């Protein structure tokens, strides 16, 4: 009896689900730092050195030690499991680069707005942007060394945030702290969609 040969086609590689999260906020709020702390791969950065040409355009009051700025975006990746990856896109913080935001925001699950209490008003444009487009967001108050600390309710009042918008303290340099901010965002999105909030 002749043996029968079965040529099975190799299984197609599984393509993981990709979730896109924006990291936004004002100039010097810690966006590049947060993406770098969270990313499992070397992050793509578009940092350029601040030069004398930016005098009168780049307001560095409160962040005088800052020597570079993001001119397009930061990009990082987190693999949750074989079926799920999170892509982080850090937005440019200065007005003249805001034309990039619509492209970066397309298809985003939600956003983290980093707030710097030394320059709290700088995160208003980010908050307005996400509110106007119905993109869920959380606000992470980045706790810089030596900066004055404020209670969360005082920050919420100052930013005039809706009561349902999560507001958390964080340290953009610390991976675990950054993860907690992302978890807060995912839980917020789930509540808005009426889905079960992930546990653990």
């Amino acid at each position: 009896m002749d043996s029968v040969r079965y040529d099975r086609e190799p299984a197609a590689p599984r393509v993981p689900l990709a979730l896109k999260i924006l990291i936004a906020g004002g100039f010097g709020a810690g966006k590049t730092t947060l993406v770098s702390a969270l990313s499992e791969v070397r992050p793509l950065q578009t940092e350029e050195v601040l030069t004398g040409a930016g005098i009168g355009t780049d307001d560095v009051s409160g962040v005088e030690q800052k020597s570079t700025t993001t001119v397009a975006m930061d990009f990082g990746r987190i693999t949750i499991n074989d079926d799920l990856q999170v892509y982080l896109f850090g937005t440019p913080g200065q007005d003249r680069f805001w034309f990039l935001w619509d492209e970066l925001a397309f298809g985003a699950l939600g956003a983290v707005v980093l707030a710097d209490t030394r320059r709290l008003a700088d995160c208003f444009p980010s908050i307005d942007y996400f509110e106007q487009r119905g993109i869920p967001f959380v606000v992470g108050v980045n706790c810089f060394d030596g900066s004055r600390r404020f209670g969360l309710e005082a920050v919420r009042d100052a930013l005039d945030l809706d009561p349902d918008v999560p507001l958390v303290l964080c340290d953009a340099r610390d991976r675990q702290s950054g993860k907690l901010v992302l978890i807060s965002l995912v839980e917020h999105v789930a509540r808005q969609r009426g889905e079960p909030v992930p546990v653990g």
Side-chain angles (χ1 to χ4, degrees):
M1 182 178 195
D2 292 336
S3 61
V4 179
R5 180 180 173 189
Y6 294 96
D7 289 326
R8 296 182 179 175
E9 291 188 15
R14 291 192 333 208
V15 177
L17 174 67
L19 298 180
K20 181 180 187 180
I21 293 177
L22 300 184
I23 309 297
F27 176 62
K31 301 179 293 296
T32 298
T33 301
L34 182 60
V35 172
S36 297
L38 287 169
S39 181
E40 68 191 18
V41 297
R42 183 178 179 182
L44 168 68
Q45 298 176 341
T46 56
E47 291 273 294
E48 293 295 336
V49 175
L50 291 170
T51 67
I55 296 174
T57 303
D58 300 326
D59 177 12
V60 295
S61 57
V63 289
E64 290 84 3
Q65 76 286 356
K66 187 167 174 59
S67 60
T68 60
T69 186
T70 298
V71 296
M73 67 173 185
D74 299 310
F75 173 79
R77 186 188 75 207
I78 305 170
T79 299
I80 306 300
N81 54 44
D82 290 342
D83 297 315
L84 180 61
Q85 291 185 342
V86 176
Y87 294 143
L88 304 171
F89 288 83
T91 64
Q94 294 165 281
D95 302 15
R96 65 182 185 274
F97 301 123
W98 283 351
F99 67 91
L100 296 167
W101 278 46
D102 287 341
E103 289 296 324
L104 292 175
F106 182 76
L109 174 75
V112 173
V113 176
L114 282 180
D116 178 354
T117 57
R118 300 169 301 179
R119 297 163 54 106
L120 198 56
D122 285 5
C123 65
F124 279 121
S126 300
I127 291 171
D128 290 344
Y129 181 90
F130 299 125
E131 285 181 341
Q132 290 169 10
R133 287 158 182 80
I135 298 174
F137 67 95
V138 301
V139 176
V141 180
N142 194 6
C143 300
F144 287 89
D145 291 338
S147 63
R148 185 177 172 193
R149 302 297 168 93
F150 297 88
L152 286 178
E153 286 311 308
V155 175
R156 181 179 295 280
D157 289 344
L159 294 177
D160 194 27
L161 289 178
D162 289 339
D164 66 323
V165 174
L167 178 66
V168 295
L169 297 175
C170 68
D171 182 340
R173 302 165 299 182
D174 182 74
R175 182 178 176 84
Q176 187 59 32
S177 179
K179 283 183 179 179
L180 294 176
V181 176
L182 295 186
I183 290 169
S184 177
L185 173 63
V186 171
E187 291 175 345
H188 178 51
V189 171
R191 282 192 296 269
Q192 284 202 334
R193 295 180 175 179
E195 298 172 355
V197 175
V199 178

